[in-house]
Amino acid sequence: MANPTTSREVRLASRPTGWPTADNFAIAEAALPELQPGEILVRNTVMSVDPYMRGRMDDRPSYVPPFQVGEALDGGAVGEVIASAADDLPTGTTVLHGFGWREYAVLPSRRVQPIDTSVVPASAYLGALGMPGFTAYVGLTEVAAMKEGDAVFVSGAAGAVGSLVGQLAKRRGASRVIGSAGSAEKVRHLIDDLGFDAAFNYKDGSVAKQLRQHAPDGIDVYFDNVGGEHLEAAIGALNTHGRVAVCGMISQYNATEPTPAPRNLALVITKRLTIRGFIVSDHNALQPAFRRDVAPLLDSLVTEETIVDGGVDAAPQAFLDLMRGANTGKMLVRF
Ligand code: NAP
């Protein structure tokens, strides 16, 4: 079969104010350039939608450049090489790369990473073995410096990062692992399937009150995916010398006004707390340690995925649904 000459892609149609909507996205067809020496043509099979993409829809400086209006979005994806002008990547190779949100991509071979799908499925490289898994590992072990015997609280606990934080904390000897999530079914999943010691639905009432109830002896580590009321509650519950790894603040990503700071910040002094933000890509030197420590656990970890079929046509809605908590585990779009 002849190679495709065009590819359908998702573009940023406009920048959102507050919550993004379907109108902020447009699907368009783009011509594919001819393969040059050293390049490959990849057909995407699965792509990731991630909360950080919300920040890229705004026009402000950050650690990744903003998406541009009228241009295709990008992000993590896995695909198959269907044509190759690169000696190192023959047709049929499965590759991980950063050109999601489109059906096909022409890429220099150095921009992709071949992956082995004989042991784990391709999607694992976008989840537990990929960026979210590495984020959980870095945040817990390096940023929060979790020690055996620590009581660990994680918000966004049923999501891609949070579900691994809780399970890794258990395996690293946490005395108690507490999670919060946004539905009764997710709370059940945390306890029954992922082995959390306690979990609560943050929509049921005061986070501080529920956390006190589920962590009567306090917490030593808080892995923050949510910010806002969760962070304030965690500061209140942290024991002396407690540590917070600030990974995300999804409760504030769609805010149109500045959000209030935790009202109890003075406790940072009296309790000698450490609150440290991090960006996972700054810690790439830990990749070998991550693979060494986490790859052998993969069989025993629950790595839930919420997979939406439909490729580029389904991707914008999958992203919008992720922001509202439709996913359990990693949210993915299959082509
Ligand atoms: P995820 O947790 O799989 O999906 C997002 C989840 O956020 C939703 O399922 C939803 O679950 C929850 N959520 C949405 N609005 C919320 C709110 N107002 N309050 C509480 N929970 C809310 O996403 P992920 O990829 O694993 O990312 C988790 C966090 O880590 C995000 O904040 C992300 O930005 C951050 N992150 C940071 C880095 C880094 O380098 N620092 C890297 C990767 C991810 P519920 O149903 O429970 O509400």
Side-chain angles (χ1 to χ4, degrees):
M1 207 172 71
N3 289 332
T5 55
T6 61
S7 169
R8 293 170 70 243
E9 62 187 26
V10 181
R11 295 179 181 168
L12 184 67
S14 56
R15 297 199 186 279
T17 307
W19 282 89
T21 68
D23 292 340
N24 298 128
F25 302 89
I27 294 175
E29 191 148 0
L32 285 167
E34 292 229 345
L35 275 195
Q36 301 300 316
E39 290 184 339
I40 52 173
L41 172 61
V42 176
R43 180 177 63 81
N44 281 336
T45 52
V46 58
M47 60 164 265
S48 177
V49 285
D50 297 273
Y52 81 89
M53 293 167 175
R54 173 62 188 86
R56 297 188 68 192
M57 296 176 83
D58 293 334
D59 189 14
R60 58 178 160 76
S62 187
Y63 64 99
V64 275
F67 295 132
Q68 295 302 319
V69 174
E71 290 183 14
L73 309 188
D74 57 64
V78 166
E80 191 190 339
V81 178
I82 58 167
S84 177
D87 295 339
D88 51 336
L89 284 178
T91 302
T93 312
T94 306
V95 292
L96 173 69
H97 61 88
F99 291 81
W101 295 95
R102 69 202 72 202
E103 292 173 328
Y104 301 95
V106 170
L107 298 167
S109 65
R110 67 186 149 73
R111 300 286 297 272
V112 309
Q113 181 191 326
I115 56 173
D116 178 2
T117 55
S118 62
V119 183
V120 292
S123 56
Y125 292 89
L126 298 170
L129 263 194
M131 188 274 280
F134 188 45
T135 303
Y137 179 82
V138 164
L140 192 65
T141 63
E142 175 78 2
V143 181
M146 188 220 142
K147 306 184 301 293
E148 203 176 327
D150 281 344
V152 176
F153 171 47
V154 55
S155 54
V161 174
S163 60
L164 290 163
V165 170
Q167 294 181 82
L168 290 178
K170 282 298 279 188
R171 281 162 181 73
R172 298 177 85 88
S175 59
R176 188 168 176 80
V177 174
I178 307 112
S180 70
S183 73
E185 174 50 28
K186 288 187 181 182
V187 168
R188 187 211 59 74
H189 171 66
L190 293 177
I191 294 172
D192 294 350
D193 305 333
L194 305 191
F196 280 56
D197 299 294
F200 62 88
N201 179 352
Y202 66 87
K203 294 176 182 166
D204 279 351
S206 155
V207 176
K209 207 164 150 194
Q210 296 196 75
L211 182 56
R212 261 199 309 276
Q213 192 184 328
H214 291 285
D217 299 325
I219 58 173
D220 303 294
V221 165
Y222 172 46
F223 193 109
D224 193 11
N225 286 315
V226 166
E229 189 190 352
H230 272 85
L231 179 55
E232 184 172 296
I235 289 171
L238 277 158
N239 297 323
T240 308
H241 298 300
R243 284 92 62 211
V244 182
V246 184
C247 175
M249 293 202 174
I250 196 166
S251 70
Q252 306 179 358
Y253 291 176
N254 298 305
T256 49
E257 297 294 329
T259 45
R263 292 165 299 179
N264 54 357
L265 259 188
L267 291 176
V268 171
I269 309 161
T270 48
K271 295 188 185 185
R272 288 83 107 194
L273 304 179
T274 304
I275 301 180
R276 187 176 161 205
F278 72 103
I279 295 296
V280 65
S281 51
D282 291 344
H283 299 269
N284 278 336
L286 290 175
Q287 281 280 0
F290 164 62
R291 287 183 189 255
R292 181 198 64 214
D293 291 351
V294 176
L297 299 177
L298 266 190
D299 272 353
S300 69
L301 293 171
V302 177
T303 54
E304 200 76 11
E305 297 172 336
T306 300
I307 300 185
V308 177
D309 283 309
V312 290
D313 297 298
Q317 193 57 47
F319 171 75
L320 299 174
D321 290 345
L322 164 84
M323 296 302 291
R324 293 193 186 273
N327 61 308
T328 299
K330 180 72 197 114
M331 186 69 141
L332 296 165
V333 179
R334 192 158 47 194
F335 288 73

